[in-house]
Amino acid sequence: MSEKPTGRIYLFTKYERLWHWLQMAIIFTLLLTGFEAAGRFKLFGYEGAAYLHNRVGLFWVIAFLVFLFWIVTTGEWKQYIPTTKNLFDVVIYYIYGIFAGHSHPFPKTKEAKHNPLQRFTYLALATLLLPFQMATGLLYWSYNSWEAWGIDKYLSLKWLATVHVAGAFAILAFVIIHVYMTTTGHTVFGYIKGMITGWEDTYDD
Amino acid sequence: MRPSLVIVLASLFVSLQPAVAGASTASAGAEPAVAAEAHAAPPAAKPAAQPNAPWVTVDHSKLEALQKNFTSAKDLTDTCLSCHNKTLDQFQHSIHWTWRAPSSTKDRIVGKGGDSINNFCVSTNYMHDHECLDCHIGWDRKPVTINCMNCHGDLSFNYEEAVEDIEAFLEEGDEESLEMAHDVQQDLKAAAQRIQLPTRKHCGSCHFYGGGWEATKHGDLDKSLGTPTKELDVHMGIDGQNFQCTRCHTTKDHKIAGRMYSIPAATTRESLIENDLGTRITCVSCHTDKPHTSGFANKLNDHTDVVACQACHIPTFARKRSTQMDWDYSTSGKTRDGKKYVVKDADGRPVYMSIKGSFVWKKNVKPEYFWFNGSIHNMTFKDVIDPDQTVWLSRPLGGPHDKNSRIFPFKVHRCNQAYDKVYKTLLTAIYTEEDGGYWDTLDWPKAFAMGQKDVGMPFSGKFGYVRTKYVLPTTHMVAPKEQAVKCAECHTRNNGRMAKIAGVYIPGRDGHHLVNALGLLLILGCLAGVCGHALIRCIGAIIRRSKSVG
């Protein structure tokens, strides 16, 4: 683990890195203001928290649409095609190999930035959890239009708020594991450095 | 001059707005334009005449009918009615005369003039407490006529005294008396020609004193509203728009809008923009259901389907004078040296009276909130009660699933009052000295026997005390917007203003306990998982290092 890097690889473009850190800031703000608005603690005060949450939430939806446009037009969506190939190797690595000092079974390349486990996780995140959170958030925000849209019969604010909070817990759980996983590279801050500079060090194993 | 200046300034403001909007953030770009409309609106909403200028098309001082020497009160009223020939009939069919709600049935007449009972003087129309007549004109529906001057006269002139003097002097009949009668008649004639629309002080001469003393019954109506500041009432403030009561309480056939009893003050919430002949009694009439234009406007406007304007904009009532919150009849009747006595608090409010019992007065009171569709259910002295529970003498109707209901602020007056232990009904009594009531005798059984006889109800002779609640909708003393209730006062987990409101999900107050618990468990699990994983990694690294060194 302590050997010197033998080379480096440019993995993340400027836009990807900007999007990643922007989305981090957005999700961090939304989690903080969201849980405050849900009455879990006091920080900004209800009014400030609710105001920030609504504005940042709306901004997130727009920014996410831009990301979708980028991922489709650049062909980067291919990075998220799920595969079971090597999936078990990666899982076994994280529950055993990493402790025994084995090297990662899936070296990153420019063409395949994500290991199979990441592909599944990010695909589920980008197509299920995050859109679910945005959709329930938008419905929450537009609560007073439900009647005009004819959907008030099928929705209750109580249940919508509950599933929105459940989604937030799921995202927070992802954030915790995701942040921890960044420390599992060759060096503790290696992956974070990669997402800041775009370059990740490579090692011969 | 002034309105036109305002219009010029407003149009200047409007023309400046795009530049201001352009300079502000893009996301808020849409709002300043709306705000500009709102700022431009007040001049258009001003009345055609200045508030205190007469709207009428008649100069009463020029009317032939009023160029006479009145000989009696009836003469004065008859003179008014000689032109206003529908007034007597109109007035005697109004609630100000009948004291009965239109929802009454033959067996259960709702209203003060019927079988309803409250927890202040618990007196009704059938009884003979003549002091009530000072405000409750037409009480007992005696064949007396009306006095137009009560509401339309010049308040600085004492018509009653003038008429009494004239009648006395004319009766004496000697030359000197006739001359004096003539002098008073000249004053009365001049005063009778100074007819006006009712002002705050006309209405206030009764309504500021509901319950017998100032601000006693209503926490949102007291003498301070005669000359209020904008800070006390943003509409009526003499340093602001200077609204008179009649600006919102409009009148049709002498029926004055705004009473909230068994029938709502208004059955629809529509603005005058939607219907220019609609009522002016609701907030929505002038402010529409999207009244907020700045800041967090869209979310504030999202409240108007559930929360009444008053709930946020009247943060506390009784802001100038303390109001009565509790009356305990059971402590009445004590004497000192055989004499009745009174104990007053620092504000001069009685906290104990031998003839009435104990009182609690409070200032700056946070209202209690209930779902309310504009109708109030009233108990009558005929209804059987459960003395083991607090009795709602009046109760707001409505609920979360009623489209016409809003969360509305109330003053709740509590009382410990008498009921008949055998018949399980609330008891009425006769009070005043001149009628030989309780205030004279301090003898409850005697006072109850007289009261119950008057209302035609039995009295067993056995009485006890029961806790009662009486609700009074809070709608006056609207504070300036800066003092409106803050979001966090309701959107809070514990002890918020909405703590007791059921049937609506309030973010910040409510949550799903199971989901929250599972969520917390998930987060703790993740933290424990990554910590454990990290620990094993460290241990593995240490073991490997020691092996490679060894």
Side-chain angles (χ1 to χ4, degrees):
Chain A
M1 292 282 266
S2 55
E3 71 266 40
K4 292 264 180 284
T6 52
R8 57 181 203 156
I9 177 172
Y10 189 66
L11 281 180
F12 305 111
T13 62
K14 261 187 200 155
Y15 172 76
E16 278 174 284
R17 283 177 279 144
L18 175 77
W19 168 241
H20 175 270
W21 292 113
L22 180 68
Q23 182 158 253
M24 183 220 74
I26 288 170
I27 288 178
F28 184 76
T29 311
L30 289 174
L31 283 172
L32 210 59
T33 55
F35 279 113
E36 177 173 12
R40 310 307 305 185
F41 54 83
K42 244 185 198 146
L43 181 71
F44 300 99
Y46 180 85
E47 188 173 356
Y51 183 82
L52 264 174
H53 195 80
N54 287 352
R55 292 295 160 107
V56 173
L58 288 173
F59 176 71
W60 189 28
V61 174
I62 296 161
F64 193 77
L65 291 174
V66 174
F67 168 72
L68 287 185
F69 177 77
W70 174 85
I71 208 169
V72 168
T73 51
T74 57
E76 282 291 311
W77 60 271
K78 289 174 191 144
Q79 301 273 3
Y80 297 88
I81 299 172
T83 171
T84 53
K85 199 179 156 194
N86 291 332
L87 178 64
F88 279 100
D89 296 342
V90 174
V91 172
I92 295 208
Y93 168 74
Y94 282 118
I95 61 178
Y96 170 70
I98 190 168
F99 304 134
H102 299 169
S103 47
H104 202 287
F106 187 89
K108 290 179 190 178
T109 63
K110 180 85 186 140
E111 291 70 36
K113 302 170 187 175
H114 305 314
N115 69 48
L117 195 60
Q118 281 177 305
R119 283 181 181 237
F120 270 113
T121 309
Y122 297 157
L123 183 68
L125 211 58
T127 59
L128 298 174
L129 185 56
L130 300 189
F132 171 80
Q133 202 61 0
M134 290 179 208
T136 52
L138 278 173
L139 279 172
Y140 204 149
W141 181 68
S142 58
Y143 159 72
N144 273 57
S145 305
W146 292 3
E147 199 181 332
W149 297 343
I151 55 173
D152 57 318
K153 294 181 253 344
Y154 315 106
L155 287 172
S156 95
L157 190 60
K158 185 184 171 184
W159 284 104
L160 186 82
T162 302
V163 298
H164 192 65
V165 168
F169 276 119
I171 291 176
L172 182 56
F174 162 78
V175 169
I176 291 168
I177 293 169
H178 181 69
V179 170
Y180 171 71
M181 295 295 256
T182 64
T183 68
T184 60
H186 271 87
T187 60
V188 170
F189 298 109
Y191 288 159
I192 292 182
K193 202 180 107 197
M195 192 47 87
I196 293 171
T197 62
W199 292 89
E200 251 180 39
D201 292 332
T202 56
Y203 299 82
D204 289 333
D205 290 306
Chain B
M1 274 309 284
R2 218 169 130 239
S4 58
L5 184 66
V6 173
I7 291 166
V8 170
L9 285 174
S11 50
L12 258 175
F13 186 71
V14 172
S15 60
L16 280 172
Q17 270 302 308
V20 177
S24 65
T25 58
S27 65
E31 283 167 18
V34 180
E37 278 175 35
H39 281 100
K46 288 261 187 243
Q50 285 301 300
N52 294 322
W55 289 54
V56 289
T57 51
V58 174
D59 178 353
H60 281 78
S61 69
K62 300 249 165 35
L63 287 183
E64 208 174 306
L66 290 175
Q67 315 299 329
K68 66 181 278 195
N69 293 324
F70 302 106
T71 54
S72 66
K74 189 173 181 303
D75 186 17
L76 182 57
T77 297
D78 286 347
T79 305
C80 300
L81 298 180
S82 69
C83 290
H84 298 276
N85 54 17
K86 287 170 88 175
T87 300
L88 184 65
D89 183 57
Q90 287 174 352
F91 196 83
Q92 292 191 337
H93 283 95
S94 77
I95 197 80
H96 268 140
W97 189 265
T98 67
W99 311 100
R100 289 175 171 210
S103 64
S104 299
T105 59
K106 209 178 159 195
D107 300 328
R108 199 172 175 283
I109 302 167
V110 181
K112 285 192 189 93
D115 306 337
S116 291
I117 190 164
N118 66 29
N119 59 16
F120 290 89
C121 287
V122 301
S123 188
T124 87
N125 180 41
Y126 301 109
M127 295 152 70
H128 303 288
D129 275 339
H130 292 106
E131 279 182 30
C132 309
L133 279 161
D134 284 353
C135 282
H136 297 287
I137 45 174
W139 203 239
D140 212 16
R141 293 182 306 287
K142 290 197 177 67
V144 290
T145 191
I146 56 174
N147 179 3
C148 307
M149 300 302 149
N150 269 352
C151 303
H152 297 285
D154 178 349
L155 281 174
S156 62
F157 187 81
N158 192 334
Y159 291 87
E160 214 165 301
E161 204 179 86
V163 169
E164 277 171 18
D165 287 350
I166 291 169
E167 285 174 7
F169 290 138
L170 287 180
E171 204 180 299
E172 283 186 25
D174 58 277
E175 202 172 317
E176 199 182 343
S177 296
L178 287 177
E179 203 171 303
M180 282 165 80
H182 183 75
D183 286 348
V184 183
Q185 280 172 327
Q186 294 313 302
D187 293 343
L188 178 60
K189 191 202 290 180
Q193 291 170 2
R194 294 197 295 271
I195 287 297
Q196 56 183 308
L197 276 176
T199 64
R200 284 190 299 265
K201 286 180 180 170
H202 284 95
C203 306
S205 65
C206 287
H207 289 274
F208 295 163
Y209 301 92
W213 297 302
E214 190 189 349
T216 302
K217 192 183 273 181
H218 297 277
D220 60 337
L221 285 172
D222 64 41
K223 214 170 86 184
S224 63
L225 282 180
T227 46
T229 57
K230 212 161 54 177
E231 190 274 334
L232 178 65
D233 189 297
V234 79
H235 301 107
M236 291 197 263
I238 50 173
D239 50 345
Q241 303 203 67
N242 200 12
F243 277 24
Q244 301 296 324
C245 308
T246 51
R247 189 72 188 273
C248 303
H249 293 272
T250 51
T251 304
K252 211 170 159 186
D253 299 343
H254 274 88
K255 291 190 174 82
I256 298 167
R259 202 174 48 92
M260 279 194 271
Y261 210 58
S262 56
I263 289 179
T267 47
T268 54
R269 280 185 189 79
E270 57 179 9
S271 73
L272 294 166
I273 292 166
E274 292 160 279
N275 174 11
D276 66 334
L277 295 177
T279 176
R280 289 212 300 258
I281 197 64
T282 69
C283 306
V284 169
S285 306
C286 299
H287 293 280
T288 77
D289 63 351
K290 291 181 179 59
H292 308 95
T293 52
S294 58
F296 211 176
N298 58 355
K299 271 297 138 194
L300 292 176
N301 286 340
D302 277 354
H303 287 71
T304 58
D305 62 329
V306 175
V307 183
C309 307
Q310 291 91 334
C312 299
H313 291 278
I314 307 176
T316 58
F317 59 81
R319 295 217 296 279
K320 282 276 186 278
R321 291 283 280 147
S322 58
T323 187
Q324 194 184 102
M325 299 302 292
D326 202 297
W327 180 337
D328 185 356
Y329 272 96
S330 72
T331 62
S332 62
K334 293 178 204 162
T335 54
R336 271 182 195 159
D337 308 324
K339 283 184 185 150
K340 296 164 191 153
Y341 67 98
V342 178
V343 181
K344 289 187 176 176
D345 67 7
D347 279 342
R349 296 296 209 174
V351 289
Y352 181 76
M353 290 175 86
S354 301
I355 62 168
K356 294 186 177 178
S358 313
F359 300 110
V360 174
W361 300 84
K362 277 187 186 157
K363 218 169 153 177
N364 259 328
V365 189
K366 266 191 201 177
E368 292 180 46
Y369 299 87
F370 302 102
W371 285 104
F372 183 41
N373 62 15
S375 292
I376 290 176
H377 179 268
N378 289 275
M379 288 280 287
T380 71
F381 52 70
K382 293 176 176 171
D383 299 325
V384 173
I385 60 154
D386 174 2
D388 295 330
Q389 298 199 342
T390 301
V391 177
W392 285 94
L393 284 188
S394 69
R395 184 167 48 87
L397 298 179
H401 304 298
D402 173 358
K403 284 251 172 279
N404 287 323
S405 288
R406 300 288 184 279
I407 298 165
F408 202 93
F410 289 86
K411 171 187 164 179
V412 181
H413 182 260
R414 290 174 167 81
C415 185
N416 205 25
Q417 72 186 90
Y419 75 101
D420 189 302
K421 279 186 160 174
V422 175
Y423 296 110
K424 302 272 192 288
T425 56
L426 292 160
L427 287 170
T428 62
I430 291 291
Y431 293 104
T432 54
E433 281 101 346
E434 62 175 292
D435 300 302
Y438 183 79
W439 298 349
D440 178 37
T441 62
L442 297 186
D443 181 347
W444 275 128
K446 196 177 160 206
F448 290 141
M450 289 163 73
Q452 291 293 88
K453 185 168 169 260
D454 273 358
V455 299
M457 291 291 289
F459 174 50
S460 70
K462 292 195 177 94
F463 70 96
Y465 291 94
V466 59
R467 291 295 290 170
T468 59
K469 287 197 266 193
Y470 190 86
V471 295
L472 298 132
T474 301
T475 192
H476 302 100
M477 295 190 184
V478 176
K481 59 183 173 186
E482 296 76 22
Q483 292 173 27
V485 171
K486 299 284 174 286
C487 307
E489 293 187 50
C490 303
H491 293 275
T492 183
R493 193 141 286 228
N494 300 311
N495 304 321
R497 285 178 185 251
M498 296 294 134
K500 289 181 187 162
I501 291 291
V504 62
Y505 183 88
I506 302 178
R509 184 194 72 164
D510 299 325
H512 197 287
H513 295 308
L514 184 65
V515 167
N516 284 340
L518 289 175
L520 203 60
L521 207 63
L522 172 72
I523 299 309
L524 293 175
C526 287
L527 286 172
V530 300
C531 288
H533 198 272
L535 193 68
I536 302 172
R537 268 170 67 203
C538 288
I539 294 169
I542 292 164
I543 293 170
R544 279 197 307 281
R545 192 170 300 165
S546 63
K547 269 185 188 165
S548 66
V549 170

